[in-house]
Amino acid sequence: MNKKIRLTKQFEFEMAHTLTGYDGSCREIHGHSYKLFVTVAGCPDQNPDNPKFGMTLDFGILKRVVNEHIIDRYDHSLVIRATEHNHTLIDVLRGDFSKVQVVDYQPTCENMVMRFAESIMKELPEGVELIMVRLCETATSYAEWWACDN
């Protein structure tokens, strides 16, 4: 009898962003020490001959997926929304810095957690589903994406 098990892995990265047109202090370029929690679920392998016997997903695979599609891209980067107003600024920044991420959305915690969930889902092996992604922007503030809500 296979029972589903949930696994969660935590990641940390540093990132700066600006909220274009925002009416508060977050319109300025500023940074956060992010914590990202990724929860997946699946049935542990039941084949006693498989070296991954008893595993729902090798944590190393989850680490590779998240590092490749999120951490390596966003760690120590500046995320800015592509707008007509930002075009010159983006060109100047890209002239001096290699990790300027230009996105087509306002880089709020809410929008980023949704994009992160979409990226992770595409890369999970068959039989493993993404359950939850939590992105902590500060020690007391976070946004969550839950599969059951989407």
Side-chain angles (χ1 to χ4, degrees):
M1 170 167 67
N2 283 343
K3 302 272 185 178
K4 277 193 175 182
I5 300 293
R6 292 181 183 189
L7 303 176
T8 300
K9 183 148 183 61
Q10 177 181 332
F11 302 85
E12 296 180 2
F13 63 101
E14 307 294 324
M15 190 192 86
H17 67 153
T18 178
L19 301 182
T20 302
Y22 183 68
D23 61 354
S25 60
C26 290
R27 75 182 304 264
E28 304 297 334
I29 294 173
H30 64 286
H32 299 282
S33 295
Y34 287 92
K35 288 188 180 181
L36 178 67
F37 297 82
V38 178
T39 301
V40 298
C43 296
D45 188 289
Q46 296 300 305
N47 179 357
D49 297 327
N50 186 340
K52 308 240 186 222
F53 175 54
M55 288 185 179
T56 299
L57 177 66
D58 185 326
F59 279 110
I61 292 172
L62 185 55
K63 181 179 177 181
R64 179 189 52 78
V65 166
V66 174
N67 280 340
E68 184 177 315
H69 295 277
I70 297 168
I71 306 303
D72 293 347
R73 178 177 177 192
Y74 292 99
D75 187 39
H76 285 82
S77 73
L78 168 63
V79 180
I80 188 168
R81 184 173 75 169
T83 66
E84 188 67 34
H85 176 75
N86 288 339
H87 179 72
T88 302
L89 174 60
I90 290 167
D91 286 345
V92 169
L93 289 168
R94 283 186 163 165
D96 288 333
F97 304 101
S98 62
K99 291 195 84 173
V100 177
Q101 301 298 325
V102 179
V103 296
D104 62 356
Y105 58 90
Q106 186 79 303
T108 62
C109 194
E110 298 90 334
N111 284 332
M112 289 189 299
V113 79
M114 284 189 294
R115 296 297 175 109
F116 292 174
E118 291 168 3
S119 294
I120 295 165
M121 268 190 294
K122 293 175 186 175
E123 301 299 322
L124 293 176
E126 187 177 329
V128 176
E129 60 184 314
L130 185 62
I131 298 297
M132 187 271 298
V133 179
R134 173 184 291 171
L135 182 61
C136 301
E137 193 169 77
T138 69
T140 60
S141 303
Y142 61 87
E144 290 180 327
W145 175 94
W146 285 85
C148 62
D149 296 337
N150 292 284

